[in-house]
Amino acid sequence: MSQKTMSKEEYLNKAKDLNKDAGAPKVLEDTDFFTVAKERRSVRQYDPTVKISEEEIRELLEVASQAPSSSNLQPWRFLVIQDQAAKEELLPIANNQQQVVEASAVIAVLGDREGYKNAERIFGELVEMGRMDEELKNTYVNSITQGYGSFPEERLLKIAMIDGGLVSMQLMLAAKAKGYDTVPMGGFDQEKFVEAFRVPENFEPVMLIALGKGAKAGFEKNRLPLDEVLQWNKY
């Protein structure tokens, strides 16, 4: 086996070069869930002339936000980077992945490690909706505040990352159902991103998601056989 390696930037951009003969992403005639889930691809080449409106992005994020979260605390936060100058600033931070500047927007999904502090508001709204009485709400809020408030930083981070992953996947599926393409990106300098985009201290970057109209389809999926990743009941 060859011992040749690539730099991080080469590694992240090579997939685009390998896929240079691909056609445009498939237009889905059927957008039922199973079709969308099977046909979603990680697309790295976008039509830079297509601009997704703020209204459409908000619609996608509203759907994404229906994802589940630990204790319904919804610790995800979104930074939508749509201005071209801001995308150009992000480009070197994201290892010069061209989808950053070609896509209509890059959505930074962030996880709030202090999301539990919103428990009073979230469960108070359930009282207003008639879904919970005041006494039960107070019990929930007290339990969450004491429980999450005593968690070590690593556990709060893990919760924020898991919930951030759930909302990210829902966003990408919603985008595909609306005829748009996405690619999740973890290959960026988180410290530089936090500094350049003034991310609050208690927010942890989960991933960046390029969102736009694909110019070339992503790779056809290949997956490990199900029987290699599936076990029933116990290992």
Coordinates of all heavy atoms in Angstrom, one line a residue, residues 191-233:
E191 N -11.3 27.4 15.9 CA -10.8 28.6 16.7 C -10.9 29.9 15.8 O -11.3 30.9 16.3 CB -9.4 28.3 17.2 CG -9.4 27.3 18.3 CD -8.0 27.1 18.9 OE1 -7.1 27.9 18.6 OE2 -7.8 26.2 19.7
K192 N -10.4 29.8 14.6 CA -10.4 30.9 13.7 C -11.9 31.3 13.4 O -12.2 32.5 13.3 CB -9.6 30.7 12.5 CG -8.1 30.6 12.7 CD -7.3 30.4 11.4 CE -5.8 30.4 11.7 NZ -5.1 30.1 10.4
F193 N -12.7 30.3 13.2 CA -14.1 30.6 12.9 C -14.8 31.3 14.0 O -15.5 32.3 13.8 CB -14.9 29.3 12.6 CG -16.3 29.5 12.4 CD1 -16.8 30.0 11.2 CD2 -17.2 29.2 13.4 CE1 -18.2 30.3 11.0 CE2 -18.6 29.4 13.2 CZ -19.1 29.9 12.0
V194 N -14.6 30.8 15.2 CA -15.2 31.5 16.4 C -14.8 32.9 16.5 O -15.6 33.8 16.8 CB -14.9 30.6 17.7 CG1 -15.2 31.4 18.9 CG2 -15.6 29.3 17.7
E195 N -13.5 33.1 16.3 CA -12.9 34.5 16.4 C -13.4 35.4 15.3 O -13.9 36.5 15.6 CB -11.4 34.4 16.4 CG -10.7 35.8 16.5 CD -9.2 35.7 16.5 OE1 -8.7 34.6 16.3 OE2 -8.6 36.8 16.5
A196 N -13.4 34.9 14.1 CA -13.7 35.8 12.9 C -15.2 36.1 12.9 O -15.6 37.2 12.5 CB -13.3 35.1 11.6
F197 N -16.0 35.2 13.3 CA -17.5 35.4 13.2 C -18.1 35.7 14.6 O -19.3 35.7 14.7 CB -18.1 34.2 12.5 CG -17.8 34.2 11.1 CD1 -16.7 33.5 10.6 CD2 -18.7 34.8 10.1 CE1 -16.3 33.5 9.3 CE2 -18.4 34.8 8.8 CZ -17.2 34.1 8.3
R198 N -17.3 36.0 15.5 CA -17.7 36.5 16.9 C -18.7 35.6 17.5 O -19.8 36.0 18.0 CB -18.2 37.9 16.8 CG -17.2 38.9 16.2 CD -17.6 40.4 16.5 NE -18.8 40.7 15.8 CZ -18.9 41.2 14.6 NH1 -17.8 41.3 13.9 NH2 -20.0 41.5 14.0
V199 N -18.5 34.3 17.5 CA -19.4 33.3 18.0 C -19.3 33.4 19.6 O -18.3 33.4 20.2 CB -19.0 31.9 17.6 CG1 -19.8 30.8 18.3 CG2 -19.1 31.8 16.1
P200 N -20.5 33.5 20.2 CA -20.5 33.6 21.7 C -19.7 32.4 22.4 O -19.7 31.3 21.8 CB -22.0 33.5 22.0 CG -22.7 34.1 20.8 CD -21.8 33.6 19.6
E201 N -19.2 32.7 23.5 CA -18.3 31.8 24.2 C -19.0 30.4 24.5 O -18.3 29.4 24.5 CB -17.8 32.4 25.5 CG -16.8 31.6 26.2 CD -16.2 32.3 27.4 OE1 -16.3 33.5 27.5 OE2 -15.7 31.6 28.3
N202 N -20.3 30.5 24.8 CA -21.0 29.2 25.2 C -21.5 28.4 24.0 O -22.1 27.4 24.2 CB -22.1 29.5 26.2 CG -23.1 30.6 25.7 OD1 -22.6 31.7 25.4 ND2 -24.3 30.2 25.5
F203 N -21.2 28.9 22.8 CA -21.7 28.2 21.6 C -20.5 27.4 21.0 O -19.4 27.9 20.8 CB -22.2 29.2 20.5 CG -23.5 29.9 20.8 CD1 -24.1 29.7 22.0 CD2 -24.0 30.7 19.9 CE1 -25.3 30.3 22.3 CE2 -25.2 31.4 20.1 CZ -25.9 31.2 21.3
E204 N -20.8 26.1 20.7 CA -19.8 25.3 20.1 C -20.1 25.0 18.7 O -21.2 24.5 18.3 CB -19.8 23.9 20.9 CG -18.6 23.0 20.5 CD -17.3 23.5 21.0 OE1 -17.2 24.2 22.0 OE2 -16.3 23.0 20.4
P205 N -19.2 25.2 17.7 CA -19.4 24.9 16.3 C -19.7 23.4 16.2 O -18.8 22.6 16.6 CB -18.2 25.3 15.6 CG -17.6 26.4 16.5 CD -17.9 25.9 17.9
V206 N -20.8 23.0 15.6 CA -21.0 21.6 15.3 C -20.6 21.2 13.9 O -19.8 20.3 13.7 CB -22.6 21.3 15.4 CG1 -22.9 19.8 15.1 CG2 -23.0 21.6 16.8
M207 N -21.0 22.0 12.9 CA -20.6 21.8 11.5 C -21.0 23.0 10.7 O -21.8 23.8 11.1 CB -21.2 20.5 10.9 CG -22.7 20.6 10.7 SD -23.3 19.0 10.0 CE -23.3 17.9 11.4
L208 N -20.4 23.1 9.5 CA -20.9 24.1 8.5 C -21.7 23.3 7.5 O -21.3 22.2 7.1 CB -19.7 24.8 7.9 CG -18.7 25.5 8.8 CD1 -17.6 26.1 7.9 CD2 -19.4 26.6 9.5
I209 N -22.7 23.9 6.9 CA -23.5 23.2 5.9 C -23.7 24.2 4.7 O -24.3 25.2 4.8 CB -24.9 22.8 6.4 CG1 -24.8 21.8 7.5 CG2 -25.7 22.2 5.3 CD1 -26.1 21.4 8.2
A210 N -23.0 23.8 3.6 CA -23.2 24.6 2.3 C -24.6 24.3 1.8 O -25.0 23.1 1.8 CB -22.2 24.3 1.3
L211 N -25.3 25.3 1.4 CA -26.7 25.2 0.9 C -26.9 25.9 -0.4 O -26.5 27.1 -0.5 CB -27.7 25.7 1.9 CG -29.2 25.9 1.5 CD1 -29.8 24.6 1.3 CD2 -29.9 26.7 2.6
G212 N -27.3 25.2 -1.4 CA -27.5 25.9 -2.7 C -28.1 24.9 -3.8 O -28.6 23.9 -3.5
K213 N -27.9 25.3 -5.0 CA -28.4 24.5 -6.2 C -27.1 23.9 -6.8 O -26.3 24.5 -7.3 CB -29.1 25.4 -7.2 CG -29.8 24.6 -8.3 CD -31.0 23.9 -7.7 CE -31.9 23.2 -8.8 NZ -33.0 22.5 -8.2
G214 N -27.1 22.5 -6.6 CA -25.9 21.8 -7.1 C -25.7 22.0 -8.6 O -26.7 21.9 -9.4
A215 N -24.4 22.1 -9.0 CA -24.1 22.2 -10.4 C -23.7 20.8 -10.9 O -23.9 20.4 -12.1 CB -22.9 23.1 -10.7
K216 N -23.1 20.0 -10.0 CA -22.8 18.6 -10.3 C -23.2 17.7 -9.2 O -23.1 18.1 -8.0 CB -21.3 18.5 -10.6 CG -20.8 19.2 -11.9 CD -19.4 18.8 -12.2 CE -19.0 19.5 -13.5 NZ -17.6 19.1 -13.9
A217 N -23.6 16.5 -9.5 CA -24.1 15.6 -8.5 C -23.0 15.2 -7.5 O -21.8 15.1 -7.9 CB -24.8 14.4 -9.1
G218 N -23.4 14.8 -6.3 CA -22.4 14.2 -5.4 C -22.2 12.8 -5.8 O -22.8 12.2 -6.7
F219 N -21.2 12.2 -5.2 CA -20.9 10.8 -5.5 C -22.1 9.9 -5.2 O -22.9 10.1 -4.3 CB -19.7 10.3 -4.6 CG -18.4 10.7 -5.0 CD1 -17.5 11.5 -4.3 CD2 -17.9 10.3 -6.3 CE1 -16.3 11.8 -4.7 CE2 -16.6 10.6 -6.7 CZ -15.8 11.4 -5.9
E220 N -22.2 8.8 -6.0 CA -23.1 7.8 -5.7 C -22.7 7.2 -4.4 O -21.5 7.0 -4.1 CB -23.1 6.7 -6.8 CG -23.8 7.1 -8.1 CD -25.3 7.4 -7.9 OE1 -25.9 6.5 -7.3 OE2 -25.8 8.4 -8.5
K221 N -23.7 6.8 -3.6 CA -23.3 6.3 -2.2 C -22.8 4.9 -2.3 O -23.3 4.1 -3.1 CB -24.6 6.4 -1.3 CG -25.1 7.8 -1.1 CD -26.3 7.7 -0.2 CE -26.9 9.1 0.1 NZ -28.2 9.0 0.9
N222 N -21.9 4.6 -1.5 CA -21.5 3.2 -1.2 C -21.5 3.1 0.3 O -21.0 3.9 1.0 CB -20.2 2.8 -1.8 CG -19.0 3.6 -1.2 OD1 -19.0 4.8 -1.1 ND2 -18.0 2.9 -0.8
R223 N -22.1 2.0 0.8 CA -22.3 1.8 2.3 C -21.8 0.4 2.6 O -22.0 -0.5 1.8 CB -23.7 2.1 2.7 CG -24.2 3.5 2.5 CD -23.5 4.5 3.4 NE -24.0 5.8 3.4 CZ -23.4 6.8 2.7 NH1 -22.3 6.5 1.9 NH2 -23.9 8.0 2.7
L224 N -21.3 0.3 3.8 CA -21.0 -1.1 4.3 C -22.3 -1.9 4.4 O -23.4 -1.4 4.6 CB -20.5 -1.0 5.8 CG -19.1 -0.3 5.9 CD1 -18.8 -0.1 7.4 CD2 -18.0 -1.1 5.2
P225 N -22.2 -3.2 4.1 CA -23.4 -4.1 4.2 C -24.0 -3.9 5.5 O -23.4 -3.9 6.6 CB -22.8 -5.5 3.9 CG -21.5 -5.2 3.2 CD -21.0 -4.0 3.8
L226 N -25.4 -3.9 5.5 CA -26.1 -3.7 6.7 C -25.7 -4.8 7.8 O -25.6 -4.5 9.0 CB -27.6 -3.8 6.5 CG -28.5 -3.6 7.7 CD1 -28.3 -2.2 8.3 CD2 -30.0 -3.8 7.2
D227 N -25.5 -6.0 7.4 CA -25.2 -7.1 8.3 C -23.9 -6.8 9.0 O -23.6 -7.4 10.1 CB -25.2 -8.4 7.7 CG -26.6 -8.9 7.4 OD1 -27.5 -8.4 8.0 OD2 -26.8 -9.8 6.5
E228 N -23.0 -6.0 8.5 CA -21.7 -5.7 9.1 C -21.9 -4.6 10.2 O -21.0 -4.5 11.1 CB -20.7 -5.2 8.1 CG -20.2 -6.4 7.2 CD -19.1 -5.9 6.3 OE1 -18.4 -4.9 6.7 OE2 -18.8 -6.6 5.3
V229 N -23.0 -3.9 10.2 CA -23.1 -2.8 11.1 C -24.4 -3.0 12.0 O -24.7 -2.2 12.9 CB -23.3 -1.4 10.4 CG1 -22.0 -1.1 9.6 CG2 -24.5 -1.4 9.5
L230 N -25.0 -4.1 11.9 CA -26.2 -4.4 12.6 C -26.0 -5.6 13.6 O -25.5 -6.6 13.2 CB -27.4 -4.8 11.6 CG -28.6 -5.4 12.2 CD1 -29.4 -4.3 13.1 CD2 -29.6 -5.8 11.1
Q231 N -26.5 -5.4 14.8 CA -26.5 -6.5 15.7 C -27.8 -6.4 16.5 O -28.3 -5.3 16.9 CB -25.3 -6.4 16.7 CG -25.2 -7.4 17.7 CD -24.9 -8.8 17.1 OE1 -24.1 -8.9 16.1 NE2 -25.4 -9.9 17.7
W232 N -28.4 -7.5 16.8 CA -29.7 -7.6 17.5 C -29.4 -7.8 19.0 O -28.7 -8.7 19.4 CB -30.6 -8.6 16.9 CG -30.9 -8.5 15.5 CD1 -30.3 -9.0 14.4 CD2 -31.9 -7.6 15.0 NE1 -30.9 -8.6 13.3 CE2 -31.9 -7.7 13.5 CE3 -32.9 -6.7 15.5 CZ2 -32.8 -7.0 12.7 CZ3 -33.8 -6.0 14.7 CH2 -33.7 -6.2 13.3
N233 N -30.1 -7.0 19.8 CA -30.2 -7.2 21.2 C -28.9 -6.9 22.0 O -28.9 -6.1 22.9 CB -30.7 -8.6 21.6 CG -32.1 -8.9 21.0 OD1 -33.0 -8.0 21.1 ND2 -32.3 -10.0 20.4

